[in-house]
């Protein structure tokens, strides 16, 4: 089969590799119908994620069709259309039993395209299939559910739920990339009073407006803290999200929040950031961090099915799966392409993905 293979910092290829097969009895093999690229894949390509070794197939977000199951898999069968989450769950360890799949002790967690071969490929081996994949109803298209693999649950769980967004709140979001935009969408589920998006790029702020931000601030030329204070009677936001992953943006997120407010860090940090306890201690601030667990996928999928959550704005570009190399170029050059998420479409997928299951069973 063909797959996008990481060959060490700065190097990737669309290579012919061995077809995946069942290794553990809890595995499934899935044909990838629709996949996408994450900013984290770019971090891996820069060499920022040393645990990912050269030769690893990248990708941790996809929708596909089960083609083979291991002997102990009992809840999916060949032909089922499934969403694969960026986080796998052994289902048996202490953390999995608490729904904290990101912290799985039994071999799950973020493994796809990180510690094992990932999902930017024609086929993938999917460990712990019973506890890690989500069946997709025929009325939902692949593209409607694809962003449930990572960005929507990340922003919802690590941002909105950790930050306890409540009706009427002022929510300030630092960073308006896919994660910041998903934070706008999922904050709206709680009817905040005002959503403020802050970014250095005007194109990203335009996106934030389309996703539902009420106020946008370009902090390359505007004073974000002054504007947020002005909009909140001098208090600050009820909740702020850090959705960039840099020391300066974390510090900014802590400056924007009101006494008694919540700072939810979503960004992945590679460097230490300063926690200004000398100013924060007296302000009753709660700061949370987190790796996504994706426990909210079923809940968010129901909201998409009922039309109350619409992720369609994320897909800015579409490529055939075999053009994954070109898709990376487009995604990595977001400043000029305005890419948010690029959708990679496999050859055999149907128009909506709905009818393919039958085809495969017959196969
Ligand atoms: N916690 C988790 O489980 C989890 C999961 C997925 C992604 N993430 C992280 O979330 C973060 C955001 O992801 P993304 O895909 O949206 O990234 P992205 O790089 O596409 O977007 C980041 C945005 O931040 C803006 N930005 C950069 N510096 C800024 C500054 N000083 N002030 C304001 N804005 C600034 C950029 O213009 C860009 O629009 C990343 O760190 C990513 O690794 C975390
Ligand atoms: Zn990701
Ligand atoms: Zn586990």
């Amino acid at each position: 089969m063909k797959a996008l293979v990481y060959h060490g910092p700065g190097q990737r290829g669309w290579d012919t590799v061995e077809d995946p097969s069942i290794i553990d009895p809890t595995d499934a093999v899935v044909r990838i119908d629709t996949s996408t690229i994450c900013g984290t894949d770019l971090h891996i390509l820069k060499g920022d994620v040393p645990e990912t070794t050269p030769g690893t197939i990248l990708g941790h977000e996809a929708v596909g069709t089960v083609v083979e199951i291991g002997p102990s898999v009992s809840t999916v069968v060949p032909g089922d259309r499934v969403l694969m989450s960026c986080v796998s769950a052994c289902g048996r360890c202490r953390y999995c039993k608490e729904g904290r799949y990101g912290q799985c002790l039994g071999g799950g967690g973020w493994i796809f395209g990180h510690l094992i071969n990932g999902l930017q490929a024609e086929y993938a081996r999917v460990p712990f299939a019973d506890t890690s994949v989500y069946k997709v109803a025929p009325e939902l298209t692949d593209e409607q559910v694809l962003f449930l693999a990572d960005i929507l649950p990340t922003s919802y769980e690590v941002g909105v739920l950790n930050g306890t967004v409540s009706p009427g709140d002022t929510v300030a979001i630092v960073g308006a990339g896919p994660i910041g935009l998903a934070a706008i969408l999922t904050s709206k589920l709680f009817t905040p009073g005002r959503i403020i998006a802050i970014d250095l790029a005007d194109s990203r702020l335009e996106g934030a407006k389309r996703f539902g931000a009420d106020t946008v601030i370009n902090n390359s030329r505007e004073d974000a803290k002054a504007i947020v204070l002005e909009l909140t009677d001098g208090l600050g936001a009820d909740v702020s999200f850090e959705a960039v992953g840099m020391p300066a943006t974390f510090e900014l997120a802590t400056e924007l929040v009101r006494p008694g407010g919540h700072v939810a860090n979503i960004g992945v940090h590679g460097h230490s950031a300063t926690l200004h306890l000398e100013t924060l201690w007296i302000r009753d601030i709660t700061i949370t961090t987190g790796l996504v667990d994706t426990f909210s996928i079923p809940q968010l999928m129901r909201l998409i099915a009922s039309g109350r959550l619409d992720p369609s704005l994320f897909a800015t570009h579409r490529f055939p799966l075999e053009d994954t190399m070109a898709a990376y170029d487009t995604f990595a050059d977001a400043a000029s392409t305005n890419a948010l998420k690029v959708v990679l479409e496999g050859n055999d997928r149907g128009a909506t993905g709905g009818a393919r299951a039958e085809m495969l069973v017959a196969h």
Side-chain angles (χ1 to χ4, degrees):
M1 70 160 185
K2 290 283 195 179
L4 195 287
V5 181
Y6 170 63
H7 289 299
Q11 289 172 293
R12 57 178 150 86
W14 181 247
D15 297 352
T16 302
V17 298
E18 210 179 309
D19 286 348
S21 54
I22 303 287
I23 297 174
D24 294 317
T26 47
D27 289 349
V29 173
V30 173
R31 185 192 70 211
I32 303 300
D33 297 320
T34 306
S35 188
T36 183
I37 307 172
C38 177
T40 306
D41 300 324
L42 302 181
H43 282 301
I44 295 172
L45 275 165
K46 278 192 207 132
D48 292 347
V49 186
E51 317 86 84
T52 304
T53 52
T56 304
I57 297 170
L58 297 185
H60 50 260
E61 304 162 81
V63 182
T65 305
V66 176
V67 292
E68 199 185 341
I69 55 171
S72 59
V73 174
S74 61
T75 59
V76 293
V77 294
D80 281 350
R81 193 161 63 108
V82 293
L83 169 76
M84 276 139 304
S85 160
C86 63
V87 164
S88 303
C90 82
R92 308 158 79 115
C93 73
R94 169 181 169 178
Y95 287 119
C96 281
K97 286 181 174 169
E98 292 174 3
R100 301 177 77 130
Y101 313 126
Q103 307 295 332
C104 175
L105 299 167
W110 173 38
I111 53 174
F112 282 133
H114 176 210
L115 306 178
I116 67 165
N117 281 333
L119 307 175
Q120 289 157 8
E122 290 178 320
Y123 292 87
R125 179 178 78 92
V126 177
F128 311 117
D130 278 332
T131 42
S132 302
V133 306
Y134 299 82
K135 281 194 219 181
V136 182
E139 58 272 21
L140 288 167
T141 65
D142 286 9
E143 217 174 280
Q144 274 181 295
V145 297
L146 180 62
F147 308 122
L148 289 172
D150 182 346
I151 58 173
L152 286 166
T154 292
S155 297
Y156 181 61
E157 295 170 13
V158 186
V160 176
L161 296 182
N162 279 358
T164 67
V165 173
S166 305
D169 276 358
T170 292
V171 179
I173 303 172
V174 185
I179 291 288
L181 298 174
I184 295 175
L185 273 193
T186 52
S187 285
K188 287 198 296 188
L189 296 170
F190 289 88
T191 325
R194 183 196 296 272
I195 299 174
I196 303 168
I198 301 157
D199 201 291
L200 300 170
D202 287 327
S203 61
R204 285 283 162 96
L205 293 171
E206 284 304 314
K209 280 191 215 155
R210 283 198 301 280
F211 276 74
D214 302 290
T215 305
V216 298
I217 302 172
N218 185 319
N219 61 325
S220 72
R221 52 169 192 268
E222 294 174 292
D223 182 343
K225 185 179 173 185
I227 296 172
V228 170
L229 288 177
E230 197 182 297
L231 291 169
T232 54
D233 299 326
L235 285 178
D238 298 286
V239 183
S240 70
F241 299 150
E242 198 287 343
V244 185
M246 297 197 328
T249 45
F250 172 74
E251 290 178 36
L252 178 59
T254 63
E255 287 169 14
L256 297 177
V257 80
R258 68 165 168 83
H262 284 73
V263 180
N265 180 80
I266 314 175
V268 171
H269 292 263
H271 300 280
S272 48
T274 305
L275 180 66
H276 286 285
L277 270 182
E278 73 280 12
T279 51
L280 290 168
W281 75 269
I282 202 169
R283 295 163 47 92
D284 300 5
I285 308 286
T286 303
I287 299 175
T288 54
T289 68
L291 168 68
V292 64
D293 293 307
T294 70
F295 67 81
S296 65
I297 285 176
Q299 182 184 17
L300 295 173
M301 200 184 287
R302 287 195 297 276
L303 287 163
I304 291 172
S306 66
R308 288 196 160 77
L309 182 66
D310 177 10
S312 59
L313 283 174
F314 285 114
T316 53
H317 296 73
R318 291 175 187 81
F319 291 85
L321 187 60
E322 62 261 30
D323 292 342
T324 298
M325 291 290 276
Y328 261 87
D329 294 334
T330 296
F331 182 69
D333 191 17
S336 53
T337 62
N338 282 337
L340 289 178
K341 291 296 271 184
V342 298
V343 178
L344 306 168
E345 302 177 331
N347 276 331
D348 295 332
R349 71 201 272 282
T352 66
R356 282 165 301 135
E358 280 161 315
M359 236 168 59
L360 245 125
V361 171
H363 195 64

